[in-house]
């Protein structure tokens, strides 16, 4: 990469372009342009101000307009010669930042770079998230660099796709955030001929993760979805190049990776498939292919990996001994793509290696890359070139906004896990997997209900906490015996057979024998509800305990119910399955596979 492409301008090293904003106390990249900004907001030396996003100007014009004293002095690596002002010839301080000469010297002394005083270390807000198969989102870099990093160039790198209403969008600042991260097996590019799908293919959903960021930004979960998982792909309205919309027919009981690329399915189809399978909608998507793995790992000077035993794979040409290694470029791609070098050649084992690989990338980004402006720019440039995103986040300001939210998550509260699955019982020699009907709904429920996979202190607004406390009083009091609970079960969930499955579970597992299936409710409900009379409160509390009903599901009537009349339980769209708590588990099941981002472990 030449000097200009690394962010240099007029022989100024990027490390010398970082200056301290006296109003915010943060270091920001000074670009060689003259944006229009209110006087007094920054020092009047236009060359020392960062460019506002979206501002376009010709560097040649900037040179012509600037006084000679404001142009770079050859050999001074970014230091600006002070132009005397006033009769004394002394530069007047501006904005409390000292003289023009002292500003030039402090920029040289304070800017991060070889042989210079260290910049202020990146704080907690500059931590952000990487994603899998060796593919890393731009969001990580944007969170560390801010909005002033060579806006025009990076913005021009990004490709976006219109996926209609498949992604839910919404505010990036309020509520939880779900982003579907797709690593495709598209093999275009030099050196990729031996990997992935056939030539000229759009690629499949080879590596898929659902990134969930909690509403209070205290934690994040990255859920891997196996490519060989059997799912039902729904019909998918897909935008065509000419602007029209075409519905791609769905397909039942097929591999998950066919949700992208096959029959013209776009990332919106993958989003719809994930939501149909898990009940978790995605707000946005990001997608990249094999080239991203090679370019990004090279830009960050490699990723450290550790192996519990040697790996030698003749297909990917990966040959690593037991112990620690640093991989980048072609070797990094071979590492995350390797499967035949593993003991049972399982895609599930490959997922574990990919999760450990990405966790290592996150740690290196936090400890090393965020402190180097030049390396950060290289990484941002490579990442934005590798990305395809949905149109709602298809520019640098929006990606930066997303990055700031992700950057609030502490790495110690970031967990990687995999959708719980088991071998497909329909296959004599299992080649695919199916959902674990007990564990998978629990994991989905945790994400739906914003439950952390790590123990963190939750932040909660006072008014919301007070409302919950008032409603929670309904659950305080005596409980009836399960055998004394009378309840009619209605199905308003939209899930066929939900009422009967719940009834079977109540009677056969929980001894709620005085229960009956009343078939479909008059209309579908978003939330499960339990209607009961005040004289049935002890029964309602027992049923709430058994089913994991939240206090908000309890709907007491004003008058007592007639004797022997059962309560009315209507299952809503939040119904996860018989025996699965509506509120979601309070914490992750003990035997759920997981990788914690801040822990260094060796791949097995």
């Amino acid at each position: 990469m030449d000097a200009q492409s690394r962010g240099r301008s007029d022989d100024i090293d990027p490390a010398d372009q970082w200056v301290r904003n006296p109003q915010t106390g943060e270091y920001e990249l000074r670009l060689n342009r003259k944006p229009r900004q209110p006087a007094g907001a920054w020092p009047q030396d236009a060359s020392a101000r960062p460019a506002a996003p979206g501002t376009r100007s010709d560097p040649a014009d900037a040179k012509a307009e600037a006084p000679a004293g404001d142009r770079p002095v050859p050999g001074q690596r970014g230091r600006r010669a002070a132009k005397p002002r006033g009769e004394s010839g002394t530069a007047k301080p501006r904005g409390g930042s000292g003289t023009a000469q002292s500003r030039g010297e402090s920029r040289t002394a304070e800017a991060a770079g070889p042989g210079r005083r260290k910049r202020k270390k990146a704080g907690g807000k500059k931590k952000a998230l990487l994603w899998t198969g060796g593919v890393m989102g731009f969001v990580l870099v944007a969170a560390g660099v801010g909005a002033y990093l060579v806006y025009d160039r990076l913005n021009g790198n990004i490709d976006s796709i219109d996926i209609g209403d498949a992604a839910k969008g919404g505010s990036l600042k309020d509520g939880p955030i779900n982003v579907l991260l797709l690593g495709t097996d598209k093999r275009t590019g030099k050196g990729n001929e031996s990997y992935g799908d056939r030539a000229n293919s759009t690629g499949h959903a080879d590596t898929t993760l659902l990134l969930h960021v909690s509403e209070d930004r205290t934690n994040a979960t990255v859920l891997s979805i196996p490519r060989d998982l059997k799912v039902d792909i729904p019909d998918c309205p897909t935008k065509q190049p000419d602007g029209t919309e075409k519905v791609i027919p769905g397909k039942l009981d097929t591999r998950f990776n066919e949700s992208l690329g096959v029959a013209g399915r776009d990332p919106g189809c993958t989003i719809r498939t994930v939501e149909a399978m898990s009940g978790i909608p995605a707000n946005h998507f990001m997608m990249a292919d094999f080239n991203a793995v090679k370019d990004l790992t090279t830009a960050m000077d490699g990723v450290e990996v550790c192996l519990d035993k040697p790996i030698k794979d003749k297909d990917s040409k990966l040959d690593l001994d037991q112990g620690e290694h640093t991989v980048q470029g072609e070797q990094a791609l071979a590492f995350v793509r390797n499967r035949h070098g593993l003991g049972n050649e399982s895609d599930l084992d490959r997922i574990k290696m990919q999760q450990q690989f990405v966790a290592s990338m996150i740690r290196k980004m936090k400890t090393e890359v965020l402190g180097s402006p030049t390396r950060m720019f290289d990484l941002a440039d490579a990442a934005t070139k590798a990305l395809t995103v949905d149109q709602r986040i298809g520019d640098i300001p929006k990606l930066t906004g997303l990055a700031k939210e992700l950057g609030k998550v502490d790495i110690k509260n970031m967990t990687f896990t995999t959708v719980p699955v088991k071998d497909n019982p329909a296959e004599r020699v299992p080649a695919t997997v199916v959902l674990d009907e007990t564990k998978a709904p629990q994991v989905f429920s945790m994400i739906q209900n914003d439950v952390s996979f790590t123990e963190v202190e939750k932040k909660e607004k006072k008014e919301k906490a007070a409302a919950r406390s008032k409603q929670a009083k309904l659950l305080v009091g005596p409980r009836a015996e399960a055998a004394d609970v009378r309840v009619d079960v209605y199905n308003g969930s939209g899930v066929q057979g939900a009422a009967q499955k719940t009834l079977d579970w109540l009677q056969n597992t929980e001894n709620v024998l005085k229960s009956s299936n009343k078939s479909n409710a008059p209309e579908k409900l978003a939330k499960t509800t339990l209607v009961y009379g005040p004289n049935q409160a002890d029964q309602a509390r027992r049923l709430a305990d058994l089913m994991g009903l939240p206090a908000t599901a309890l709907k007491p009537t004003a008058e007592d119910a007639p004797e022997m009349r059962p309560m009315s339980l209507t299952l809503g769209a939040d119904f996860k399955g018989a025996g699965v708590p509506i509120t979601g588990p309070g914490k992750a099941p003990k035997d759920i596979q997981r990788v914690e981002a801040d822990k260094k472990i060796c791949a097995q």
Side-chain angles (χ1 to χ4, degrees), residues 340-387:
H340 299 297
L342 304 177
N344 58 4
E345 301 188 359
S346 166
D347 184 56
L348 297 179
D349 284 343
R350 178 171 64 174
I351 286 175
K352 295 176 185 178
M353 290 186 63
Q354 291 173 345
Q355 292 174 347
Q356 292 160 2
F357 179 88
V358 178
S360 178
M361 291 181 74
I362 295 172
R363 291 192 297 272
K364 183 167 185 177
M365 181 64 65
K366 174 186 173 183
T367 58
E368 297 181 29
V369 180
L370 285 180
S372 170
T374 301
R375 292 173 71 184
M376 289 172 69
F377 177 81
D378 290 347
L379 193 56
D381 193 37
T384 49
K385 287 177 180 176
L387 277 179

Side-chain angles (χ1 to χ4, degrees), residues 171-352:
S171 172
L172 294 175
K173 294 185 178 181
D174 300 317
I177 300 174
N178 296 320
V179 182
L180 193 67
L181 310 170
L182 296 168
T184 75
D185 57 4
K186 184 177 180 180
R187 68 180 192 181
T188 56
K190 183 178 180 181
N192 295 333
E193 295 83 2
S194 60
Y195 295 103
D197 199 18
R198 64 186 182 276
N200 301 319
S201 167
T202 55
H204 298 100
D206 186 64
T207 299
T208 305
L209 301 98
L210 183 65
L211 163 63
H212 171 78
V213 183
S214 68
E215 181 174 5
D216 63 7
R217 307 298 187 255
T218 62
N219 63 91
T221 302
V222 184
L223 181 67
S224 293
I225 302 174
R227 65 191 300 276
D228 295 325
L229 173 64
K230 281 297 193 77
V231 296
D232 293 338
I233 299 176
D235 293 346
C236 179
T238 306
K239 294 286 185 178
Q240 302 300 300
D242 61 1
T244 61
E245 186 173 271
K246 177 182 178 181
V247 176
I248 308 297
K251 187 176 181 181
L252 302 179
D253 195 32
T254 190
R255 278 181 164 86
F256 175 82
N257 72 334
E258 294 186 14
S259 65
L260 177 67
V262 176
R265 296 187 182 104
D266 66 4
C269 296
T270 309
I271 289 176
R272 295 177 194 274
T273 302
V274 171
E275 184 171 3
M277 174 190 72
S278 66
I280 304 170
N283 304 102
H284 304 285
F285 85 86
M286 297 181 181
M287 179 173 67
D289 59 20
F290 288 161
N291 289 324
V293 183
K294 297 192 291 187
D295 294 345
L296 294 172
T297 54
T298 299
M300 64 187 301
D301 296 330
V303 175
E304 289 71 34
V305 298
C306 181
L307 297 175
D308 187 57
K309 56 186 178 182
I311 288 183
K312 190 168 186 177
D313 181 11
K314 63 180 181 180
D315 293 328
S316 66
K317 307 297 189 296
L318 184 66
D319 187 358
L320 296 175
D321 295 330
Q322 177 183 0
E324 297 184 355
H325 304 271
T326 298
V327 296
Q328 64 177 309
E330 194 72 35
Q331 192 178 43
L333 177 58
F335 184 88
V336 298
R337 287 287 300 159
N338 167 66
R339 184 174 66 178
H340 299 297
L342 304 177
N344 58 4
E345 301 188 359
S346 166
D347 184 56
L348 297 179
D349 284 343
R350 178 171 64 174
I351 286 175
K352 295 176 185 178

